[in-house]
Amino acid sequence: AGCFCVHVREQLTRPSLGVDVISLNGKWQLMNSNSSVSVSAEVPGCVHTTLQRQGFISDPYYRFNDLAYRWISLDNWTYTTSFSVPSHVRGKGKAVLVFEGVDTVSTISLNGLTIGKTDNMFRRYDFDVTGLLKDEENVLQVWIMSAVTYASQRSHAHTEYRVPPDCPPPVQKGECHVNFIRKAQSSFSWDWGPSFPTLGIWKGVRLEVFNTSRVLSYTTSPKYDSEHSSWTVEVELFFDVFVASKGLVHLSIPLLQSEAEFQLSLTPGQSEKSFVLQLNQSVSLWWPFGHGEQFLYYLTIDVSLEGGETFNVAFRTVELVQEPIPSSPGLSFYFRINGKPIFLKGSNWIPVHAFQDQVTTDMITILLRSAQKANMNALRVWGGGVYEQDIFYSLCDMYGIMIWQDFMFACALYPTEKDFIQTVREEVTQQVRRLKSHPSVVIWSGNNENEAAIATDWFNIPVTVRPLYVKDYVHLYVENIRDIVLQEDSTRPFLVSSPTNGVESEKEGWVAKDPYDPHYGDTHFYSYYKDCWDWTAFPRTRFASEYGFQSWPSLSTLSKVSVSSDWDFSSNFSAHRQHHEDGNQQMLKQAELHYILPNSTDPLQKYRDTIYITQVMQAQCVKIQTEFYRRSRSDIVEGKGHTMGTLYWQLNDIWQGPSWSSVEFGGKWKMLHYWATDFYAPILSAGVEDKGDLLIYGVSDSHSETHNVKAKVRWYTLVFQYSISALLTQCGNCTRRSCIVTFHLSSPEGQMISPHNHIFLSSPRYAEGLQKPNITVYFISILQFTVKDTGIVQNFFVTLHCSFPAVYVWLDVDNIPGHFDVNGFLMLSKKSTVIFGAWRPTTAEEITSNLHITSLRDVY
């Protein structure tokens, strides 16, 4: 029958009538363990950010500061504030201190009395302080222990057997035993990011005082009755009740002319109540981007004890289909939304910043808008980071971006002591209740790569003790996390891991013999030394949830955290910033297979050109692999295929350094992201050479059965001598090395319906006749102002002129924020006009003075 969802715009963070709320956000005092550092601090916030704002340290991202400032994470820190409570508030029956998020291990005291402890940054903590409030000044203190020290102590206390891995690879310059602490796993380092084991009060703090009860949270779940073709909405309310009371709950969706009133009876303690609203008319459904509108309705929940709240609601169904496929062993693996099979197109999302208090709504908006502009309809919130903030999910609801939501476990085995399991159970319960009302969230996944870690023996575990680790794995992810999710949310599928064989893994005891089997589930695939142009080497998987290649970000991004002596691929900075073993060499080796590497005698120009060639390589490799997966949607070859999703690794960056991202730290698009707008287009033409034949595939996301299309193919010489069609034999003096094939799809009326695409018949490094194009700016003119989510956008026409055809023309305007409508393109005519959309006021003169133009032939 499927699964169903209503979207609540935001979780209730403040009780209403009858509850007094005193915010304790704002100025606190921060001190280290020996009192040598004492500064004013903002809450929410973290220690690193505070020290930078107070001028105690410089930018932690600058050069080698991640090592220089390691001492901060190794120290213990204390946050202190004082507050007074009005007498009419102090006289109420119950008082609760609410900490939305503490990072991570802390002891909290009020007026010198310990009121509680925290050990999980992903949990909200409520501490009863009834009777502890003073008439005048109250002193609240939060002592935070070094996460590094805590993790080490917990690991060493676990003497019965090891829980690997102990430490990250040396190239990551990270800290050890992160799997022993419930904290962002990447904060101890990752292969794309720094080690900053943060400490702080990273979310809000408040005092809530009340006489009868307070609402802890709301959740909503629509249910579809297929027999009667009607919807209901189940609303769950979670209360903290001090005194038994009665009242009314009123639910209404005005646009659907649906409302109902219910009796409410509460008894002291934690209380959960559920109510069902019958809808009186048909609804407009919520669809993923590219497949329909994202309809949101207002839902009002009015609790007579508390007052009313209004939310957005949306309706959609989701199913994860795993069933036999004709002519193929194994099972399908695809998402059906509102009864329609949907091909997921997108990427993987990592933390936006190492310091979560630095993440702004604008930063999230720019990244999500960038994803949507690249025709993405899905993102995977990866399990080594954080559960994202509410605005992230609300924007995904608005933009039609489906979310594959991992729980925060990644690339490790984990302890299963009672206290660890208990804090995880509370974490999972809170997060499911917080996020389940968002239609954008379409699946829960227990962890990242931990099934594969056991199955393929990442950690050299002896065969004789392997069952112990499988038992722990099942206990954590199946008997606890899965059990809670199924209790809390019946409206979505749950996977235990990614990659996984899905129901086949379940049959094999939850750890499959080969979780990478392309006949089942999803796969992660990376191969850096094999030629990425050889599409036959890619796994013809059911669903590609991770794959990718590294590149370096632009010089304008790097220059913010480096000096000119760093701008060399052999510099200490270049080695330090690379956290993936042999990553810099892998990029150049892969690029060298098809491109001549930069050889300018000017060191700065060579550095710029090398950055450029890594981005060309990355864009081409991911393009070839993604197009392979998209055209495998309808293919079954040797029993493999029916691919129904591509999520390349990764969308965004956590800092300025080499990574697999398509968007740089700060929001600048790499070449890959520009190309993604084409290879994720709703209708795509994809060309490959197979056994001497040129094959051009037409790929469509449309739910209609057929498109009447024509494939338009052209051969271009690289010296502007000919522009003739079709066959190589008819091309006159064309050869594999002197011509490039371009093509697109058009309607019978001649209207272009797919982006331009191209294919080389030999490596560009062997191209004949490719000359320096001498690209110049013909003129730049301002076109118009447009208003976007991120503010006013100025559009500039940039007209270019070239003497010869140019391959992979790249336009870079340094630090002027914005992006071009196309970039990294083929310039096959002497004039070409592109549009630059600036995100801040600028001028044609500023753009001209900052514009760098590079093409493939310019780098050698």
Side-chain angles (χ1 to χ4, degrees):
C3 308
F4 313 90
C5 179
V6 166
H7 164 46
V8 175
R9 180 174 55 209
E10 58 182 345
Q11 208 61 23
L12 186 69
T13 57
R14 65 189 191 287
S16 302
L17 300 178
V19 181
D20 286 283
V21 180
I22 298 174
S23 173
L24 300 180
N25 295 343
K27 295 290 183 188
W28 291 49
Q29 279 297 121
L30 177 66
M31 186 180 296
N32 70 337
S33 57
N34 67 4
S35 304
S36 61
V37 179
S38 181
V39 293
S40 176
E42 281 290 325
V43 169
C46 78
V47 174
H48 288 81
T49 300
T50 297
L51 297 181
Q52 184 184 0
R53 283 179 177 164
Q54 296 295 339
F56 208 89
I57 62 173
S58 60
D59 182 358
Y61 281 3
Y62 184 70
R63 300 194 78 209
F64 307 95
N65 279 350
D66 53 320
L67 298 184
Y69 297 153
R70 184 169 176 254
W71 63 271
I72 297 171
S73 298
L74 299 179
D75 206 345
N76 304 322
W77 297 82
T78 302
Y79 281 85
T80 306
T81 191
S82 60
F83 62 95
S84 58
V85 181
S87 57
H88 75 278
V89 173
R90 199 167 55 252
K92 290 197 171 184
K94 186 172 181 179
V96 179
L97 269 171
V98 180
F99 286 81
E100 289 288 347
V102 179
D103 182 10
T104 291
V105 179
S106 77
T107 300
I108 301 171
S109 63
L110 177 65
N111 298 324
L113 295 174
T114 298
I115 59 172
K117 299 179 180 239
T118 72
D119 63 3
N120 189 328
M121 78 174 287
F122 305 124
R123 281 181 55 183
R124 161 179 158 166
Y125 288 85
D126 289 27
F127 301 111
D128 189 340
V129 294
T130 306
L132 300 181
L133 297 172
K134 291 185 175 180
D135 292 347
E136 297 177 357
E137 187 176 72
N138 294 272
V139 178
L140 179 61
Q141 197 167 74
V142 181
W143 176 84
I144 302 179
M145 181 181 185
S146 162
V148 177
T149 303
Y150 174 86
S152 178
Q153 290 179 359
R154 289 296 300 235
S155 172
H156 289 119
H158 194 285
T159 56
E160 192 176 345
Y161 55 93
R162 61 186 283 259
V163 183
D166 291 329
C167 301
V171 70
Q172 292 183 18
K173 301 102 181 165
E175 303 292 354
C176 301
H177 310 298
V178 70
N179 49 338
F180 277 86
I181 184 170
R182 291 310 300 141
K183 175 176 175 58
Q185 300 292 276
S186 59
S187 67
F188 275 40
S189 79
W190 216 260
D191 57 5
W192 36 253
S195 174
F196 283 114
T198 47
L199 314 93
I201 304 173
W202 73 296
K203 293 190 176 182
V205 185
R206 63 183 180 275
L207 176 69
E208 297 182 357
V209 187
F210 56 99
N211 279 327
T212 54
S213 66
R214 61 182 179 133
V215 177
L216 297 173
S217 62
Y218 296 96
T219 70
T220 54
S221 305
K223 302 286 168 64
Y224 184 66
D225 182 344
S226 56
E227 183 178 346
H228 299 97
S229 300
S230 63
W231 290 85
T232 59
V233 180
E234 180 186 25
V235 176
E236 292 175 285
L237 295 94
F238 301 89
F239 294 93
D240 176 14
V241 183
F242 182 58
V243 175
S245 53
K246 294 184 177 182
L248 296 172
V249 174
H250 185 265
L251 307 177
S252 68
I253 304 179
L255 278 177
L256 296 178
Q257 299 177 3
S258 302
E259 62 180 325
E261 195 165 78
F262 305 90
Q263 297 291 325
L264 176 65
S265 180
L266 299 174
T267 55
Q270 298 279 311
S271 181
E272 174 186 341
K273 299 293 180 179
S274 179
F275 308 96
V276 176
L277 175 64
Q278 300 281 342
L279 301 189
N280 296 329
Q281 56 181 266
S282 61
V283 304
S284 295
L285 298 175
W286 183 97
W287 288 95
F289 177 68
H291 294 271
E293 298 297 319
Q294 293 78 47
F295 283 99
L296 300 172
Y297 295 92
Y298 283 117
L299 165 68
T300 298
I301 304 173
D302 190 349
V303 182
S304 63
L305 296 168
E306 295 292 333
E309 293 288 328
T310 301
F311 307 96
N312 285 337
V313 298
F315 299 84
R316 66 104 184 90
T317 69
V318 56
E319 303 161 84
L320 177 58
V321 182
Q322 300 179 76
E323 60 190 18
I325 302 173
S327 306
S328 176
L331 300 171
S332 67
F333 188 93
Y334 69 91
F335 290 87
R336 196 151 56 200
I337 307 293
N338 299 329
K340 303 286 189 182
I342 302 291
F343 189 104
L344 269 65
K345 304 180 301 184
S347 188
N348 285 262
W349 177 279
I350 67 165
V352 178
H353 204 292
F355 310 117
Q356 281 293 308
D357 58 299
Q358 297 291 288
V359 179
T360 66
T361 298
D362 278 354
M363 292 163 74
I364 292 173
T365 302
I366 286 171
L367 287 169
L368 292 178
R369 286 287 289 151
S370 294
Q372 192 193 56
K373 283 176 179 289
N375 291 305
M376 295 183 187
N377 61 22
L379 291 170
R380 173 173 171 248
V381 178
W382 169 75
V386 297
Y387 306 96
E388 275 300 334
Q389 50 188 271
D390 291 343
I391 188 64
F392 170 86
Y393 299 96
S394 295
L395 288 172
C396 289
D397 295 339
M398 291 171 56
Y399 296 159
I401 297 174
M402 293 175 284
I403 296 301
W404 174 312
Q405 179 65 57
D406 280 2
F407 289 95
M408 294 300 127
F409 302 85
C411 300
L413 306 184
Y414 287 84
T416 55
E417 289 98 337
K418 284 185 178 179
D419 61 341
F420 188 87
I421 292 293
Q422 188 52 47
T423 197
V424 167
R425 288 183 66 87
E426 185 62 31
E427 165 193 331
V428 171
T429 300
Q430 289 185 14
Q431 294 298 340
V432 172
R433 288 179 183 175
R434 181 173 74 95
L435 302 179
K436 65 178 279 191
S437 300
H438 290 279
S440 54
V441 179
V442 296
I443 187 170
W444 307 106
S445 180
N447 65 72
N448 173 75
E449 299 185 343
N450 296 349
E451 178 186 345
I454 295 176
T456 58
D457 196 22
W458 287 11
F459 306 123
N460 301 311
I461 296 170
V463 175
T464 53
V465 296
R466 185 174 180 271
L468 173 64
Y469 292 95
V470 173
K471 181 182 177 183
D472 278 0
Y473 178 90
V474 172
H475 183 58
L476 176 58
Y477 300 111
V478 180
E479 296 170 357
N480 282 283
I481 294 176
R482 178 177 180 269
D483 183 58
I484 291 171
V485 173
L486 295 183
Q487 287 179 40
E488 293 286 335
D489 183 15
S490 62
T491 70
R492 282 177 189 80
F494 174 88
L495 286 175
V496 175
S497 188
S498 174
T500 183
N501 290 347
V503 294
E504 176 61 25
S505 287
E506 181 177 351
K507 289 179 183 177
E508 296 181 38
W510 303 103
V511 177
K513 183 179 179 181
D514 177 18
Y516 297 99
D517 187 340
H519 297 96
Y520 301 94
D522 66 317
T523 61
H524 298 184
F525 179 79
Y526 296 95
S527 179
Y528 304 114
Y529 287 115
K530 291 181 179 177
D531 184 357
C532 77
W533 286 35
D534 179 11
W535 56 269
T536 63
F538 301 135
R540 200 179 289 269
T541 177
R542 305 294 194 216
F543 194 106
S545 50
E546 278 194 30
Y547 60 98
F549 294 83
Q550 279 199 327
S551 69
W552 275 82
S554 61
L555 181 59
S556 62
T557 294
L558 290 167
S559 63
K560 295 179 177 66
V561 292
S562 59
V563 295
S564 57
S565 60
D566 298 327
W567 301 340
D568 186 295
F569 244 53
S570 61
S571 70
N572 290 336
F573 175 81
S574 293
H576 175 76
R577 220 67 175 184
Q578 176 57 267
H579 283 196
H580 171 60
E581 194 70 51
D582 296 325
N584 290 342
Q585 285 306 306
Q586 287 172 357
M587 281 185 267
L588 296 180
K589 290 288 186 186
Q590 184 64 239
E592 198 172 25
L593 292 174
H594 298 287
Y595 313 108
I596 297 174
L597 296 184
N599 58 11
S600 174
T601 56
D602 177 354
L604 178 58
Q605 190 59 51
K606 184 177 180 181
Y607 187 66
R608 277 187 180 275
D609 292 346
T610 304
I611 290 171
Y612 165 84
I613 209 69
T614 68
Q615 292 203 17
V616 170
M617 174 276 294
Q618 179 196 35
Q620 185 69 272
C621 288
V622 176
K623 171 184 184 289
I624 290 169
Q625 195 166 355
T626 304
E627 290 182 348
F628 167 74
Y629 291 137
R630 287 198 70 186
R631 59 187 171 84
S632 296
R633 174 175 182 164
S634 303
D635 285 352
I636 297 292
V637 178
E638 298 177 351
K640 302 172 187 176
H642 201 265
T643 306
M644 284 297 290
T646 56
L647 306 175
Y648 66 75
W649 188 269
Q650 66 207 63
L651 177 72
N652 58 308
D653 268 335
I654 197 170
W655 73 337
Q656 307 92 333
S659 81
W660 294 256
S661 75
S662 62
V663 180
E664 300 175 5
F665 182 81
K668 192 171 188 173
W669 289 13
K670 291 181 178 177
M671 192 177 296
L672 169 57
H673 206 80
Y674 284 100
W675 286 28
T677 64
D678 287 345
F679 63 62
Y680 275 154
I683 299 176
L684 170 73
S685 58
V688 294
E689 184 179 355
D690 188 20
K691 299 174 183 175
D693 293 330
L694 174 63
L695 306 179
I696 296 178
Y697 289 76
V699 181
S700 173
D701 290 335
S702 173
H703 299 300
S704 61
E705 292 299 314
T706 59
H707 288 280
N708 293 319
V709 300
K710 295 178 180 178
K712 294 199 171 183
V713 183
R714 284 188 169 84
W715 298 82
Y716 281 96
T717 70
L718 296 175
V719 290
F720 273 146
Q721 294 177 331
Y722 299 98
S723 173
I724 53 179
S725 63
L727 303 174
L728 189 59
T729 54
Q730 299 175 358
C731 189
N733 59 355
C734 262
T735 67
R736 280 181 169 268
R737 295 188 174 188
S738 66
C739 293
I740 184 173
V741 186
T742 71
F743 48 90
H744 67 269
L745 300 178
S746 64
S747 67
E749 296 75 34
Q751 182 179 1
M752 193 172 82
I753 59 172
S754 77
H756 288 289
N757 208 338
H758 67 274
I759 184 172
F760 285 95
L761 299 181
S762 72
S763 294
R765 69 171 293 121
Y766 303 120
E768 296 173 351
L770 186 61
Q771 302 187 43
K772 289 188 183 290
N774 303 316
I775 302 171
T776 56
V777 177
Y778 193 69
F779 65 89
I780 297 179
S781 61
I782 190 166
L783 172 65
Q784 60 187 14
F785 291 88
T786 56
V787 179
K788 298 291 185 185
D789 302 25
T790 48
I792 294 176
V793 175
Q794 285 179 287
N795 288 328
F796 291 84
F797 270 18
V798 181
T799 301
L800 307 173
H801 180 276
C802 66
S803 305
F804 299 97
V807 176
Y808 305 150
V809 176
W810 182 244
L811 309 177
D812 186 327
V813 290
D814 281 345
N815 290 313
I816 304 174
H819 59 78
F820 293 89
D821 62 331
V822 293
N823 213 344
F825 55 93
L826 302 180
M827 188 171 174
L828 301 176
S829 57
K830 293 193 175 185
K831 271 189 187 177
S832 184
T833 298
V834 299
I835 300 173
F836 177 71
W839 299 341
R840 66 159 171 81
T842 184
T843 63
E845 290 74 22
E846 185 186 18
I847 292 173
T848 301
S849 63
N850 284 274
L851 180 61
H852 301 269
I853 305 173
T854 310
S855 75
L856 193 62
R857 185 60 184 85
D858 293 323
V859 305
Y860 63 91

